[in-house]
């Protein structure tokens, strides 16, 4: 029972797993190349990628361009697999990040946190980069298809559909997060149906990818059966050796209990999911964390009224100084028990997928005895 490949245009990933982009230094060349080497799609996140550059405060634009270029090249040296860049629409340097990724010949650009309505305008003749919007509803997917068709005579190469259990900023209101009508299990068939007429009209494939709370091989099997062509997973990749965050960031996942995963109101006016800590409690209790903003990195950020700087808080978290920040995480983060390699993680996911696809362990034993020897069985 082999897992299907994921095809996005002429790109073929041997396994249908995309590692979700994790900004402010959590997914860089280390994690993305490790995932690509295992046959998945590795993704470098562009948000504040220049955080380690010495001139980040004085030369925000150039520092980020330089760092992105370097991370793409480093990842490319480490893998021949498929690499993407995640670029949030909300970034003030969105255009810089898109242009740099295209110049570096990145395979795929993933773009959410807003609707990437004008993304194709950057794609000049000869570029082969695939464009994949991240959406949270069938309505958004339809709006993007219509706009790209009318303005650019093109369609997205795929959609990532991010449901309410994801980590980081979320595309849902507090009521929607609680409403089962917005569960990823509902959204996937809706988006598949919404893009069907566009696919048929243009005779192209627009694979739909499920994201948000996908944790086990059984989950992957479930979403493929619901019509997804693949999954995007982020939280699961944080507790790997190759994840680019400080060990203390990863440890905060291992230490988290279910009740520690909380919804916060970000200074961007969006809700987000994070691991509760003293910093979050201070802010909830009305404490301000004074800061100077040298670069205004996120368009919707209301610098004047923000109780803290979200970029700075996330930079601290990435570096392991969680006292001055907090870790974004998906709802399933509390399930992590140990730090393993990307290879071990992918092997366990594939084994679990096989068991789910066989229907029962007994059936599986007959067709694939190796699965039952796996130390990861049941993880
Ligand atoms: C630490 C962290 C940082 C994230 N940063 C970004 C980001 O910069 N851009 C983005 O589009 N999504 C971001 N996300 C969302 C992920 O890419 C992904 O779609 C989502 O978390 C999937 O759900 P999962 O974490 O349950 O697997 C982030 C998620 C986490 C956990």
């Amino acid at each position: 029972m082999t897992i299907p490949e994921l095809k996005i245009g002429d790109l073929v990933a041997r396994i249908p797993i995309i590692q979700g982009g994790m900004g402010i230094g959590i997914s860089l060349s280390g994690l993305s190349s490790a995932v690509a080497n295992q046959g998945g799609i590795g993704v470098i996140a562009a948000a504040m990628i220049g955080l380690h550059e010495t001139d980040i405060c004085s030369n925000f634009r150039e520092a980020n361009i330089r760092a992105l270029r370097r991370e793409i090249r480093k990842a490319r040296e480490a893998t021949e697999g498929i690499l993407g860049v995640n670029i949030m629409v909300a970034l003030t340097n969105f255009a810089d990040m898109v242009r740099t990724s295209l110049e570096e010949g990145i395979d795929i650009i993933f773009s959410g946190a807003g609707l990437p309505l004008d993304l194709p305008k950057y794609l000049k003749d000869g570029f082969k980069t695939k464009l994949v919007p991240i959406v949270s509803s069938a309505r958004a997917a339809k709006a993007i298809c219509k706009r790209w068709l009318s303005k650019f005579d093109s369609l997205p190469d795929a959609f990532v559909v991010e449901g309410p259990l994801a980590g980081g900023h979320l595309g849902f209101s507090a009521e929607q997060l609680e409403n089962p009508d917005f569960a990823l299990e509902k959204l996937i068939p809706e988006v598949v149906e919404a893009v069907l007429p566009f696919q048929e009209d243009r005779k192209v494939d627009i694979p739909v990818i499920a994201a948000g709370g996908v944790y086990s091989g059984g989950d992957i099997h479930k979403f493929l059966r619901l019509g997804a062509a693949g999954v995007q997973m982020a939280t699961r990749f944080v507790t790997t050796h190759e994840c680019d965050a400080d060990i203390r960031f990863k440890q905060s996942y291992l230490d988290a209990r279910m009740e520690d995963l909380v919804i916060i109101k970000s200074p961007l006016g969006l809700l987000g999911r994070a691991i509760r800590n003293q910093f979050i409690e201070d802010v909830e209790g009305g404490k301000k964390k004074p800061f100077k903003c040298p670069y205004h990195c996120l368009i919707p950020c209301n610098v004047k009224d923000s109780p803290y700087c979200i970029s700075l808080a996330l930079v601290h978290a990435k570096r392991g100084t969680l006292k001055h920040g907090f870790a974004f995480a998906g709802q399933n983060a509390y399930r992590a028990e140990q730090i393993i390699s990307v290879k071990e993680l992918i092997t366990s996911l594939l084994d679990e997928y096989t068991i789910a696809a066989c229907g029962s362990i007994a059936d599986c034993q007959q067709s694939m005895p190796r699965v039952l020897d796996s130390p990861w069985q049941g993880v």
Side-chain angles (χ1 to χ4, degrees), residues 3-29:
I3 198 158
E5 297 169 329
L6 170 59
K7 292 194 183 127
I8 301 181
D10 57 359
L11 299 173
V12 183
R14 192 159 41 76
I15 57 169
I17 300 176
I18 298 170
Q19 161 255 309
M22 291 179 277
I24 330 278
I26 310 298
S27 71
L28 299 173
S29 54

Side-chain angles (χ1 to χ4, degrees), residues 289-307:
K289 309 274 179 182
F291 64 97
K292 281 198 192 114
C293 173
Y295 28 64
H296 189 72
C297 58
L298 292 153
I299 298 165
C301 183
N302 183 352
V303 177
K304 220 168 65 212
D305 299 330
S306 282

Side-chain angles (χ1 to χ4, degrees), residues 161-215:
V161 181
E162 204 180 72
L165 299 183
H169 285 111
L170 303 167
F172 300 94
S173 66
E175 296 74 43
Q176 288 170 338
L177 287 177
E178 302 291 323
N179 184 341
D181 283 345
F182 293 87
L184 187 59
E185 287 81 351
K186 284 223 138 182
L187 297 180
I188 290 298
E190 285 171 13
V191 176
V192 168
E193 198 188 316
V195 301
L196 200 63
F198 297 99
Q199 296 193 98
E200 286 176 347
D201 192 43
R202 285 291 172 123
K203 309 215 167 0
V204 290
D205 243 2
I206 309 179
V208 172
I209 291 137
V214 181
Y215 200 79

Side-chain angles (χ1 to χ4, degrees), residues 40-79:
I41 298 179
V43 181
I44 296 166
M48 275 298 272
I49 194 162
L51 76 126
H52 292 304
E53 304 299 295
T54 49
D55 56 349
I56 183 73
C57 289
S58 58
N59 199 5
F60 175 76
R61 285 189 60 183
E62 284 308 316
N64 278 294
I65 291 172
R66 192 187 316 126
L68 177 60
R69 221 182 269 294
R70 194 180 52 234
E71 286 302 315
I72 294 176
R73 290 182 185 182
K74 248 170 98 179
R76 192 37 84 210
E77 265 172 33
T79 184

Side-chain angles (χ1 to χ4, degrees), residues 268-290:
L268 307 193
L270 292 170
L271 297 181
R273 184 172 280 104
I275 300 175
R276 182 196 291 281
N277 67 357
Q278 192 58 50
F279 185 96
I280 289 180
E281 281 175 14
D282 284 355
V283 170
E284 276 175 359
K287 260 200 195 158
K288 296 207 175 208
K289 309 274 179 182

